[in-house]
Amino acid sequence: MPFFFYRTVSSDDFKEKLDCNAVILFPGLNEISKDTISEFNTKLVFLDVGGLTREIGEKNKEGFYPITQGAWNTIDGFRNKVDILKVSHEDLENIEFPKNIISES
């Protein structure tokens, strides 16, 4: 039986800023923050928000904790740090935009 483990990536995980042309981030379950992106000296940042709109649900009768849709309420902290943002329709419905942002959701 496979197990899923995750932890938040922080600036403590980097001994020095990483110099690269691009960084592609596909978080699985909220393991990156706006501060994580700042650890890269990069020309291009691609972020898939799918993992930022998920959370761990309540323990079910089989003893598992399902991954469910949740709200991404820290989007404002990522502004001006991401060049390409990949968002599905399902993700868009779960993003809590600041009051000064107009969206279709």
Side-chain angles (χ1 to χ4, degrees):
M1 174 186 309
F3 291 91
F4 182 79
F5 175 77
Y6 82 97
R7 70 178 182 81
T8 302
V9 177
S10 73
S11 58
D12 295 337
D13 293 318
F14 303 100
K15 302 279 187 236
E16 58 188 52
K17 285 201 179 273
L18 302 174
D19 190 19
C20 51
N21 291 329
V23 62
I24 300 171
L25 301 167
F26 285 94
L29 191 58
N30 294 297
E31 65 272 20
I32 66 163
S33 69
K34 62 181 176 50
D35 299 326
T36 307
I37 295 172
S38 300
E39 293 302 318
F40 296 92
N41 290 328
T42 184
K43 296 174 181 64
L44 181 70
V45 175
F46 175 99
L47 175 63
D48 181 328
V49 303
L52 299 173
T53 62
R54 295 184 190 119
E55 58 188 32
I56 296 177
E58 295 294 319
K59 188 175 186 179
N60 62 25
K61 63 183 178 180
E62 289 86 19
F64 298 110
Y65 294 86
I67 295 177
T68 62
Q69 283 300 120
W72 182 28
N73 56 12
T74 60
I75 188 172
D76 204 38
F78 286 76
R79 199 173 345 173
N80 297 324
K81 295 182 179 193
V82 175
D83 300 295
I84 300 171
L85 190 67
K86 185 227 171 241
V87 181
S88 70
H89 289 286
E90 184 179 53
D91 296 333
L92 188 59
E93 293 173 357
N94 294 293
I95 296 174
E96 293 181 9
F97 289 97
K99 292 181 182 181
N100 60 342
I101 301 290
I102 298 171
S103 79
E104 294 181 17
S105 63

XYZ file of all heavy atoms in Angstrom:
849
model
N 0.844 -1.169 0.000
C 0.000 0.000 0.000
C 0.896 1.240 0.000
O 1.762 1.392 0.850
C -0.883 -0.019 1.248
C -1.699 1.238 1.409
S -2.631 1.310 2.968
C -3.446 -0.251 2.971
N 0.709 2.153 -0.960
C 1.541 3.366 -1.011
C 1.114 4.378 0.047
O -0.048 4.429 0.450
C 1.280 3.905 -2.412
C -0.046 3.364 -2.783
C -0.191 2.041 -2.083
N 2.071 5.137 0.501
C 1.801 6.213 1.454
C 2.183 7.532 0.831
O 3.097 7.600 0.007
C 2.614 6.005 2.742
C 2.154 4.844 3.551
C 2.705 3.592 3.364
C 1.144 4.998 4.480
C 2.287 2.521 4.098
C 0.710 3.925 5.228
C 1.282 2.677 5.040
N 1.498 8.579 1.221
C 1.777 9.917 0.708
C 2.274 10.775 1.853
O 1.651 10.844 2.900
C 0.496 10.526 0.112
C 0.707 11.875 -0.484
C 1.271 12.012 -1.735
C 0.350 13.016 0.213
C 1.455 13.252 -2.283
C 0.542 14.263 -0.327
C 1.100 14.385 -1.575
N 3.434 11.383 1.673
C 3.997 12.261 2.688
C 4.418 13.547 2.016
O 4.946 13.540 0.912
C 5.224 11.608 3.338
C 5.928 12.505 4.305
C 5.423 12.719 5.574
C 7.089 13.139 3.934
C 6.073 13.559 6.453
C 7.744 13.978 4.809
C 7.229 14.183 6.078
N 4.194 14.641 2.672
C 4.645 15.910 2.126
C 5.056 16.825 3.263
O 4.708 16.622 4.412
C 3.546 16.585 1.284
C 2.544 17.355 2.107
C 2.679 18.731 2.263
C 1.495 16.733 2.747
C 1.780 19.449 3.026
C 0.599 17.448 3.509
C 0.746 18.805 3.646
O -0.131 19.513 4.408
N 5.815 17.829 2.912
C 6.166 18.878 3.862
C 6.370 20.156 3.081
O 6.594 20.148 1.878
C 7.411 18.532 4.662
C 8.683 18.544 3.848
C 9.875 18.230 4.741
N 11.100 18.283 4.009
C 11.762 19.386 3.707
N 11.309 20.554 4.067
N 12.894 19.348 3.033
N 6.309 21.270 3.769
C 6.490 22.565 3.132
C 7.958 22.785 2.820
O 8.823 22.509 3.652
C 5.980 23.687 4.059
O 4.615 23.437 4.336
C 6.139 25.043 3.418
N 8.241 23.256 1.613
C 9.600 23.614 1.225
C 9.833 25.038 1.700
O 9.027 25.924 1.456
C 9.777 23.527 -0.308
C 11.165 23.964 -0.714
C 9.485 22.121 -0.796
N 10.923 25.247 2.401
C 11.202 26.586 2.926
C 12.580 27.056 2.494
O 13.363 26.295 1.920
C 11.124 26.591 4.457
O 12.239 25.932 5.005
N 12.892 28.299 2.808
C 14.208 28.852 2.452
C 15.328 28.105 3.168
O 16.463 28.106 2.711
C 14.260 30.343 2.776
O 13.997 30.560 4.137
N 15.044 27.433 4.271
C 16.054 26.643 4.975
C 16.532 25.453 4.146
O 17.592 24.883 4.419
C 15.497 26.135 6.305
C 15.199 27.262 7.276
O 15.794 28.355 7.130
O 14.364 27.058 8.177
N 15.754 25.047 3.147
C 16.127 23.927 2.291
C 17.206 24.299 1.272
O 17.769 23.426 0.617
C 14.904 23.392 1.536
C 13.908 22.747 2.471
O 14.338 22.020 3.381
O 12.701 22.986 2.305
N 17.495 25.588 1.131
C 18.468 26.051 0.155
C 19.663 26.667 0.877
O 19.503 27.570 1.686
C 17.850 27.108 -0.780
C 16.629 26.605 -1.503
C 15.360 26.933 -1.071
C 16.758 25.796 -2.613
C 14.237 26.471 -1.728
C 15.645 25.325 -3.280
C 14.382 25.663 -2.836
N 20.844 26.172 0.568
C 22.055 26.733 1.171
C 22.399 28.083 0.548
O 22.986 28.931 1.168
C 23.240 25.772 0.986
C 23.004 24.407 1.580
C 23.264 24.417 3.059
C 23.190 23.014 3.604
N 22.274 22.813 4.647
N 22.039 28.250 -0.713
C 22.274 29.500 -1.432
C 21.186 29.657 -2.475
O 20.496 28.703 -2.820
C 23.646 29.488 -2.095
C 23.843 28.339 -3.063
C 25.262 28.228 -3.567
O 26.186 28.200 -2.744
O 25.426 28.176 -4.795
N 21.038 30.868 -2.982
C 20.047 31.083 -4.039
C 20.469 30.298 -5.280
O 21.634 30.271 -5.635
C 19.934 32.567 -4.373
C 19.184 33.347 -3.318
C 18.669 34.642 -3.903
C 17.911 35.422 -2.879
N 16.517 35.055 -2.815
N 19.511 29.646 -5.898
C 19.790 28.850 -7.083
C 19.680 29.720 -8.318
O 18.663 30.365 -8.538
C 18.815 27.679 -7.160
C 18.824 26.748 -5.953
C 17.709 25.716 -6.078
C 20.165 26.058 -5.818
N 20.725 29.741 -9.126
C 20.752 30.537 -10.343
C 20.357 29.638 -11.514
O 21.058 28.673 -11.816
C 22.149 31.126 -10.558
C 22.187 32.153 -11.667
O 21.121 32.676 -12.032
O 23.288 32.421 -12.169
N 19.224 29.922 -12.141
C 18.744 29.088 -13.232
C 17.936 29.928 -14.218
O 17.524 31.033 -13.909
C 17.901 27.938 -12.698
S 16.596 28.431 -11.575
N 17.746 29.385 -15.417
C 16.982 30.091 -16.447
C 15.488 30.029 -16.207
O 14.754 30.938 -16.567
C 17.296 29.522 -17.830
C 18.706 29.843 -18.257
O 19.255 30.867 -17.894
N 19.307 28.934 -19.006
N 15.029 28.935 -15.626
C 13.597 28.768 -15.387
C 13.389 27.820 -14.223
O 14.235 26.976 -13.938
C 12.913 28.215 -16.630
N 12.266 27.980 -13.562
C 11.854 27.041 -12.518
C 10.399 26.682 -12.792
O 9.583 27.541 -13.122
C 12.058 27.613 -11.103
C 11.222 28.845 -10.861
C 11.756 26.579 -10.045
N 10.107 25.391 -12.735
C 8.762 24.887 -12.981
C 8.291 24.228 -11.696
O 8.912 23.289 -11.208
C 8.761 23.876 -14.147
C 9.278 24.558 -15.412
C 7.364 23.305 -14.356
C 9.527 23.614 -16.561
N 7.203 24.743 -11.142
C 6.700 24.271 -9.854
C 5.338 23.610 -10.017
O 4.390 24.224 -10.504
C 6.596 25.447 -8.875
C 7.914 26.182 -8.615
C 7.664 27.495 -7.907
C 8.856 25.305 -7.813
N 5.260 22.344 -9.619
C 4.024 21.571 -9.628
C 3.763 21.077 -8.207
O 3.990 19.914 -7.902
C 4.140 20.364 -10.573
C 4.058 20.698 -12.016
C 5.203 20.924 -12.752
C 2.834 20.766 -12.660
C 5.137 21.227 -14.099
C 2.748 21.068 -14.002
C 3.906 21.301 -14.725
N 3.317 21.941 -7.324
C 3.087 21.489 -5.947
C 1.972 20.448 -5.904
O 1.014 20.518 -6.665
C 2.682 22.772 -5.213
C 2.157 23.673 -6.276
C 2.922 23.341 -7.523
N 2.142 19.485 -5.010
C 1.123 18.452 -4.853
C 0.093 18.802 -3.812
O -1.082 18.505 -3.962
N 0.545 19.483 -2.733
C -0.370 19.770 -1.636
C 0.196 20.896 -0.762
O 0.654 20.674 0.339
C -0.605 18.505 -0.805
C -1.703 18.518 0.232
C -3.064 18.833 -0.390
C -1.754 17.189 0.947
N 0.202 22.097 -1.298
C 0.575 23.303 -0.544
C 1.994 23.321 0.014
O 2.252 23.961 1.021
C -0.409 23.542 0.609
C -1.772 23.875 0.116
O -1.968 24.881 -0.545
N -2.733 23.021 0.407
N 2.932 22.629 -0.626
C 4.273 22.582 -0.066
C 5.181 23.734 -0.485
O 6.341 23.771 -0.092
C 4.951 21.235 -0.349
C 5.213 20.936 -1.800
C 4.053 20.256 -2.504
O 2.913 20.323 -2.026
O 4.299 19.673 -3.561
N 4.670 24.658 -1.276
C 5.468 25.841 -1.600
C 4.717 27.096 -1.155
O 3.507 27.090 -1.011
C 5.818 25.947 -3.095
C 4.576 26.172 -3.933
C 6.602 24.743 -3.569
C 4.883 26.686 -5.299
N 5.486 28.153 -0.969
C 4.898 29.433 -0.577
C 5.495 30.524 -1.457
O 6.417 30.275 -2.237
C 5.210 29.726 0.900
O 6.589 30.000 1.055
N 5.016 31.723 -1.287
C 5.570 32.852 -2.041
C 7.044 33.025 -1.727
O 7.828 33.433 -2.571
C 4.794 34.123 -1.741
C 4.850 34.551 -0.293
C 4.049 35.800 -0.038
C 3.997 36.191 1.409
N 5.218 36.253 2.139
N 7.464 32.687 -0.520
C 8.868 32.807 -0.134
C 9.745 31.776 -0.829
O 10.908 32.035 -1.098
C 9.006 32.670 1.383
C 8.238 33.751 2.125
O 8.156 34.883 1.606
O 7.700 33.460 3.201
N 9.200 30.604 -1.135
C 9.953 29.575 -1.846
C 10.417 30.098 -3.197
O 11.563 29.909 -3.596
C 9.096 28.314 -2.053
O 8.565 27.895 -0.807
C 9.909 27.198 -2.668
N 9.527 30.761 -3.923
C 9.847 31.273 -5.252
C 10.975 32.294 -5.183
O 11.818 32.369 -6.069
C 8.594 31.869 -5.922
C 7.574 30.757 -6.168
C 8.931 32.569 -7.236
C 6.241 31.230 -6.641
N 11.047 33.057 -4.115
C 12.079 34.081 -3.957
C 13.476 33.476 -3.813
O 14.468 34.186 -3.928
C 11.776 34.951 -2.737
O 10.534 35.586 -2.892
N 13.571 32.179 -3.567
C 14.869 31.524 -3.414
C 15.556 31.238 -4.745
O 16.679 30.776 -4.760
C 14.715 30.218 -2.622
C 14.312 30.439 -1.184
C 15.302 31.306 -0.419
O 16.526 31.133 -0.582
O 14.837 32.169 0.341
N 14.877 31.508 -5.854
C 15.444 31.237 -7.170
C 15.789 32.549 -7.873
O 14.942 33.425 -7.995
C 14.446 30.465 -8.044
C 14.125 29.103 -7.516
C 13.045 28.913 -6.676
C 14.913 28.021 -7.854
C 12.740 27.661 -6.179
C 14.615 26.762 -7.370
C 13.525 26.578 -6.525
N 17.033 32.681 -8.323
C 17.415 33.776 -9.218
C 17.126 33.262 -10.622
O 17.950 32.579 -11.210
C 18.900 34.117 -9.080
C 19.208 34.766 -7.761
O 18.386 35.470 -7.203
N 20.402 34.531 -7.253
N 15.976 33.564 -11.121
C 15.549 32.950 -12.372
C 14.923 33.968 -13.313
O 14.448 35.014 -12.898
C 14.557 31.800 -12.087
O 14.218 31.165 -13.301
C 13.299 32.308 -11.427
N 14.927 33.610 -14.572
C 14.338 34.478 -15.583
C 12.860 34.146 -15.808
O 12.101 34.970 -16.258
C 15.108 34.335 -16.888
C 16.549 34.799 -16.781
C 17.321 34.496 -18.066
C 18.744 34.932 -17.979
N 19.550 34.242 -16.982
N 12.445 32.924 -15.492
C 11.090 32.487 -15.780
C 10.592 31.548 -14.677
O 11.273 30.589 -14.321
C 11.045 31.753 -17.124
C 9.695 31.240 -17.590
C 8.784 32.396 -17.971
C 9.864 30.308 -18.766
N 9.397 31.825 -14.146
C 8.778 30.967 -13.131
C 7.431 30.499 -13.652
O 6.567 31.303 -14.000
C 8.585 31.715 -11.789
C 7.832 30.843 -10.795
C 9.920 32.149 -11.217
N 7.264 29.168 -13.727
C 6.012 28.528 -14.139
C 5.417 27.879 -12.895
O 6.105 27.146 -12.185
C 6.293 27.461 -15.209
C 5.080 26.665 -15.610
C 4.390 26.991 -16.764
C 4.639 25.594 -14.852
C 3.275 26.255 -17.152
C 3.527 24.854 -15.224
C 2.843 25.185 -16.379
N 4.147 28.138 -12.621
C 3.485 27.567 -11.454
C 2.160 26.947 -11.854
O 1.303 27.599 -12.441
C 3.243 28.645 -10.392
C 2.441 28.232 -9.159
C 3.178 27.155 -8.364
C 2.154 29.442 -8.286
N 1.993 25.662 -11.529
C 0.715 24.971 -11.663
C 0.044 25.069 -10.293
O 0.575 24.575 -9.304
C 0.946 23.510 -12.035
C -0.338 22.719 -12.214
O -1.331 23.016 -11.523
O -0.339 21.795 -13.027
N -1.117 25.709 -10.214
C -1.748 25.974 -8.920
C -2.566 24.805 -8.374
O -3.107 24.902 -7.273
C -2.630 27.240 -8.956
C -1.830 28.430 -9.377
C -3.849 27.045 -9.816
N -2.628 23.695 -9.114
C -3.447 22.569 -8.675
C -3.195 22.156 -7.232
O -4.124 21.926 -6.471
N -1.948 22.052 -6.839
C -1.621 21.637 -5.477
C -1.879 22.700 -4.433
O -1.879 22.416 -3.238
N -2.094 23.929 -4.860
C -2.379 25.009 -3.919
C -3.879 25.139 -3.651
O -4.290 25.884 -2.768
C -1.819 26.334 -4.442
C -0.299 26.332 -4.628
C 0.149 27.615 -5.306
C 0.419 26.144 -3.314
N -4.691 24.415 -4.433
C -6.139 24.443 -4.235
C -6.635 23.111 -3.674
O -7.785 22.746 -3.860
C -6.884 24.763 -5.546
O -6.609 23.731 -6.502
C -6.494 26.113 -6.096
N -5.746 22.386 -2.985
C -6.118 21.103 -2.386
C -5.836 21.125 -0.888
O -5.003 21.876 -0.408
C -5.307 19.973 -3.017
C -5.603 19.756 -4.466
C -4.831 18.555 -4.996
N -4.956 18.512 -6.441
C -3.943 18.596 -7.279
N -2.715 18.715 -6.835
N -4.145 18.547 -8.568
N -6.528 20.255 -0.186
C -6.276 20.105 1.238
C -6.581 18.664 1.641
O -7.171 17.908 0.864
C -7.119 21.081 2.059
C -8.595 20.952 1.860
C -9.385 22.062 2.538
O -8.896 23.192 2.645
O -10.515 21.767 2.953
N -6.154 18.293 2.826
C -6.414 16.946 3.324
C -7.766 16.950 4.017
O -8.024 17.783 4.895
C -5.307 16.487 4.289
C -3.982 16.403 3.531
C -5.660 15.141 4.909
C -2.807 16.035 4.396
N -8.632 16.019 3.598
C -9.970 15.920 4.171
C -9.976 15.143 5.482
O -8.932 14.710 5.987
N -11.166 14.931 5.999
C -11.350 14.176 7.244
C -11.091 12.693 7.009
O -11.342 12.166 5.922
C -12.777 14.369 7.755
C -13.102 15.794 8.161
C -12.298 16.241 9.373
O -12.125 15.435 10.319
O -11.837 17.398 9.368
N -10.600 12.032 8.014
C -10.331 10.600 7.941
C -11.617 9.855 7.599
O -12.655 10.084 8.211
C -9.781 10.120 9.285
C -9.278 8.708 9.298
C -8.657 8.410 10.653
C -8.011 7.055 10.683
N -7.389 6.818 12.012
N -11.547 8.970 6.593
C -12.741 8.237 6.174
C -12.841 6.895 6.902
O -11.968 6.544 7.706
C -12.790 8.081 4.648
C -11.627 7.283 4.100
O -11.025 6.461 4.781
N -11.289 7.535 2.843
N -13.880 6.135 6.605
C -14.120 4.880 7.327
C -13.053 3.822 7.058
O -12.875 2.913 7.843
C -15.513 4.344 7.006
C -15.741 3.971 5.562
C -17.160 3.518 5.335
C -17.350 3.207 3.859
N -18.702 2.775 3.574
N -12.317 3.963 5.947
C -11.218 3.045 5.648
C -9.924 3.454 6.362
O -8.904 2.783 6.258
C -10.962 2.975 4.130
C -12.042 2.264 3.349
C -13.177 3.198 2.958
O -12.982 4.436 2.966
O -14.270 2.693 2.664
N -9.947 4.610 7.048
C -8.768 5.073 7.776
C -7.851 5.960 6.959
O -6.735 6.259 7.390
N -8.302 6.382 5.775
C -7.490 7.237 4.912
C -7.942 8.686 5.010
O -9.103 8.971 5.327
C -7.589 6.787 3.442
C -7.069 5.407 3.210
C -7.935 4.372 2.899
C -5.708 5.144 3.301
C -7.455 3.100 2.684
C -5.216 3.865 3.090
C -6.091 2.833 2.783
N -7.031 9.579 4.712
C -7.334 11.009 4.654
C -7.364 11.421 3.187
O -6.311 11.541 2.555
C -6.274 11.822 5.397
C -6.257 11.555 6.880
C -5.521 10.504 7.406
C -6.996 12.349 7.744
C -5.505 10.261 8.769
C -6.991 12.107 9.104
C -6.236 11.056 9.613
O -6.236 10.820 10.955
N -8.531 11.611 2.606
C -8.604 11.946 1.174
C -8.122 13.366 0.896
O -8.189 14.245 1.757
C -10.098 11.816 0.862
C -10.769 12.080 2.160
C -9.847 11.548 3.231
N -7.624 13.556 -0.311
C -7.264 14.901 -0.763
C -8.500 15.480 -1.424
O -9.092 14.867 -2.310
C -6.071 14.856 -1.727
C -4.838 14.351 -0.981
C -5.819 16.231 -2.331
C -3.612 14.181 -1.825
N -8.906 16.665 -0.969
C -10.124 17.297 -1.461
C -9.806 18.688 -1.998
O -8.710 19.213 -1.782
C -11.171 17.421 -0.336
O -10.634 18.258 0.703
C -11.530 16.069 0.242
N -10.762 19.264 -2.685
C -10.598 20.646 -3.150
C -10.650 21.575 -1.948
O -11.463 21.402 -1.051
C -11.689 21.021 -4.141
C -11.493 20.472 -5.529
C -10.208 20.948 -6.162
O -9.356 20.162 -6.504
N -10.046 22.232 -6.335
N -9.765 22.542 -1.941
C -9.727 23.539 -0.884
C -9.535 24.907 -1.509
O -9.463 25.047 -2.729
N -9.435 25.905 -0.688
C -9.298 27.276 -1.184
C -7.831 27.709 -1.166
O -7.106 27.427 -0.221
C -10.121 28.222 -0.330
N -7.404 28.376 -2.243
C -6.078 28.995 -2.282
C -6.294 30.458 -1.929
O -6.766 31.252 -2.728
C -5.445 28.847 -3.656
C -4.056 29.416 -3.771
C -3.131 29.545 -2.774
C -3.426 29.923 -4.947
N -1.968 30.084 -3.250
C -2.127 30.336 -4.594
C -3.838 30.077 -6.259
C -1.237 30.875 -5.497
C -2.936 30.613 -7.154
C -1.659 31.007 -6.781
N -5.967 30.811 -0.707
C -6.220 32.172 -0.240
C -4.951 33.013 -0.123
O -4.986 34.093 0.444
C -6.969 32.142 1.097
C -6.243 31.338 2.144
O -5.096 30.974 1.975
N -6.928 31.028 3.227
N -3.831 32.519 -0.664
C -2.578 33.284 -0.598
C -2.120 33.761 -1.970
O -0.953 34.099 -2.146
C -1.464 32.434 0.047
O -1.266 31.251 -0.738
C -1.801 32.057 1.475
N -3.024 33.799 -2.938
C -2.644 34.158 -4.306
C -1.987 35.539 -4.373
O -1.055 35.753 -5.142
C -3.834 34.081 -5.283
C -3.353 34.282 -6.734
C -4.929 35.051 -4.902
C -4.400 34.040 -7.786
N -2.438 36.471 -3.564
C -1.893 37.825 -3.623
C -0.394 37.844 -3.330
O 0.342 38.641 -3.902
C -2.649 38.743 -2.660
C -2.558 40.202 -3.055
O -2.602 40.492 -4.271
O -2.426 41.049 -2.160
N 0.086 36.953 -2.482
C 1.512 36.887 -2.175
C 2.364 36.381 -3.329
O 3.573 36.581 -3.348
N 1.735 35.731 -4.306
C 2.459 35.211 -5.464
C 2.507 36.212 -6.616
O 3.211 36.001 -7.590
C 1.802 33.910 -5.948
C 2.067 32.734 -5.064
C 1.411 32.569 -3.861
C 2.985 31.774 -5.446
C 1.651 31.479 -3.049
C 3.239 30.673 -4.647
C 2.572 30.524 -3.441
N 1.742 37.283 -6.499
C 1.681 38.269 -7.573
C 3.054 38.873 -7.820
O 3.797 39.163 -6.900
C 0.675 39.361 -7.224
C 0.242 40.102 -8.452
C -0.843 41.085 -8.263
N -1.605 41.009 -7.032
C -2.502 41.916 -6.711
N -2.734 42.923 -7.504
N -3.177 41.818 -5.596
N 3.409 39.073 -9.074
C 4.688 39.619 -9.534
C 5.863 38.689 -9.274
O 7.015 39.097 -9.418
C 4.967 40.996 -8.911
C 3.940 42.014 -9.319
O 3.449 42.001 -10.445
N 3.587 42.892 -8.399
N 5.608 37.431 -8.902
C 6.674 36.452 -8.711
C 6.579 35.307 -9.713
O 7.498 34.529 -9.840
C 6.621 35.881 -7.295
C 6.913 36.911 -6.233
C 6.909 36.299 -4.871
C 7.235 37.388 -3.867
N 7.544 36.855 -2.562
N 5.421 35.201 -10.401
C 5.165 34.095 -11.319
C 4.944 34.663 -12.717
O 4.190 35.601 -12.896
C 3.930 33.286 -10.864
C 3.590 32.214 -11.873
C 4.159 32.690 -9.485
N 5.630 34.062 -13.701
C 5.492 34.516 -15.088
C 4.391 33.768 -15.824
O 3.648 34.354 -16.604
C 6.819 34.331 -15.836
C 7.924 35.133 -15.190
O 7.835 36.379 -15.197
O 8.864 34.517 -14.647
N 4.296 32.469 -15.586
C 3.274 31.646 -16.243
C 2.509 30.913 -15.146
O 3.089 30.184 -14.349
C 3.904 30.625 -17.210
C 4.708 31.349 -18.290
C 2.818 29.749 -17.834
C 5.538 30.419 -19.147
N 1.202 31.114 -15.127
C 0.342 30.505 -14.121
C -0.606 29.554 -14.818
O -1.401 29.968 -15.658
C -0.438 31.595 -13.386
C -1.218 31.204 -12.163
C -0.281 30.776 -11.031
C -2.085 32.369 -11.694
N -0.519 28.257 -14.503
C -1.409 27.261 -15.093
C -2.567 27.029 -14.126
O -2.381 26.642 -12.973
C -0.681 25.952 -15.350
C -1.526 24.934 -16.074
C -1.394 23.616 -15.373
C -2.378 22.614 -15.906
N -3.278 22.171 -14.851
N -3.785 27.320 -14.601
C -4.971 27.226 -13.764
C -6.068 26.493 -14.538
O -6.402 26.883 -15.652
C -5.482 28.637 -13.379
C -6.692 28.539 -12.480
C -4.390 29.458 -12.725
N -6.635 25.458 -13.935
C -7.770 24.782 -14.556
C -9.052 25.485 -14.108
O -9.045 26.286 -13.175
C -7.809 23.310 -14.123
O -8.174 23.213 -12.760
N -10.150 25.151 -14.754
C -11.438 25.720 -14.352
C -11.770 25.327 -12.905
O -12.276 26.128 -12.136
C -12.568 25.273 -15.288
C -12.483 25.904 -16.641
N -12.802 27.218 -16.855
C -12.103 25.400 -17.837
C -12.619 27.505 -18.132
N -12.196 26.429 -18.748
N -11.466 24.077 -12.558
C -11.710 23.608 -11.199
C -10.863 24.385 -10.190
O -11.345 24.767 -9.128
C -11.399 22.113 -11.113
C -11.714 21.498 -9.778
C -11.403 20.011 -9.757
O -10.265 19.631 -10.100
O -12.297 19.232 -9.391
N -9.595 24.632 -10.530
C -8.728 25.421 -9.648
C -9.250 26.841 -9.501
O -9.270 27.393 -8.403
C -7.295 25.494 -10.202
C -6.600 24.153 -10.274
O -6.941 23.258 -9.480
O -5.711 24.008 -11.132
N -9.672 27.432 -10.609
C -10.132 28.814 -10.605
C -11.303 29.014 -9.648
O -11.396 30.030 -8.968
C -10.527 29.241 -12.021
C -10.847 30.712 -12.231
C -9.663 31.595 -11.867
C -11.257 30.958 -13.674
N -12.165 28.012 -9.556
C -13.303 28.097 -8.647
C -12.876 28.094 -7.177
O -13.640 28.473 -6.310
C -14.259 26.928 -8.901
C -14.940 27.004 -10.243
C -15.751 25.754 -10.550
O -15.742 24.796 -9.730
O -16.382 25.727 -11.613
N -11.648 27.651 -6.896
C -11.178 27.525 -5.516
C -10.109 28.542 -5.138
O -9.442 28.383 -4.121
C -10.658 26.110 -5.286
C -11.780 25.102 -5.373
O -12.664 25.096 -4.534
N -11.772 24.297 -6.408
N -9.943 29.567 -5.947
C -8.986 30.624 -5.635
C -9.738 31.787 -5.010
O -10.727 32.266 -5.550
C -8.240 31.095 -6.905
C -7.403 29.942 -7.468
C -7.358 32.302 -6.584
C -6.746 30.247 -8.796
N -9.288 32.210 -3.852
C -9.879 33.365 -3.180
C -9.094 34.605 -3.593
O -8.006 34.858 -3.100
C -9.835 33.177 -1.665
C -10.727 32.064 -1.177
C -10.701 31.903 0.324
O -10.120 32.765 1.026
O -11.249 30.907 0.804
N -9.658 35.359 -4.532
C -9.002 36.555 -5.031
C -9.174 37.708 -4.045
O -10.209 37.813 -3.389
C -9.581 36.958 -6.393
C -9.203 36.031 -7.510
C -10.061 35.015 -7.907
C -7.984 36.164 -8.153
C -9.718 34.152 -8.922
C -7.632 35.302 -9.174
C -8.491 34.295 -9.566
N -8.169 38.589 -3.956
C -8.334 39.793 -3.131
C -9.497 40.625 -3.665
O -9.866 40.515 -4.834
C -7.005 40.539 -3.319
C -6.044 39.501 -3.777
C -6.844 38.499 -4.554
N -10.062 41.459 -2.845
C -11.250 42.225 -3.219
C -11.026 43.144 -4.409
O -11.941 43.453 -5.130
C -11.740 43.032 -2.022
C -12.274 42.141 -0.940
C -12.780 42.911 0.231
C -13.234 41.891 1.252
N -13.768 42.366 2.419
N -9.786 43.564 -4.665
C -9.513 44.483 -5.774
C -9.247 43.754 -7.092
O -8.936 44.380 -8.081
C -8.347 45.407 -5.426
C -7.065 44.632 -5.151
O -7.088 43.440 -4.890
N -5.954 45.340 -5.188
N -9.383 42.420 -7.110
C -9.162 41.630 -8.322
C -10.506 41.154 -8.842
O -11.318 40.590 -8.113
C -8.270 40.398 -8.029
C -6.916 40.817 -7.474
C -8.126 39.528 -9.264
C -6.012 41.493 -8.468
N -10.750 41.337 -10.123
C -11.986 40.893 -10.754
C -11.674 39.609 -11.519
O -10.718 39.540 -12.294
C -12.540 41.965 -11.715
C -12.873 43.231 -10.922
C -13.768 41.444 -12.446
C -13.218 44.414 -11.786
N -12.483 38.573 -11.315
C -12.305 37.311 -12.026
C -13.663 36.789 -12.462
O -14.700 37.277 -12.042
C -11.600 36.281 -11.140
O -12.510 35.723 -10.231
N -13.632 35.756 -13.305
C -14.865 35.141 -13.769
C -15.473 34.223 -12.737
O -16.610 33.814 -12.861
C -14.604 34.348 -15.040
C -14.215 35.220 -16.214
C -13.996 34.398 -17.463
O -14.435 33.243 -17.520
O -13.367 34.920 -18.387
N -14.735 33.845 -11.708
C -15.239 32.873 -10.730
C -16.201 33.480 -9.735
O -16.378 34.625 -9.590
C -14.081 32.222 -9.973
O -13.377 33.174 -9.229
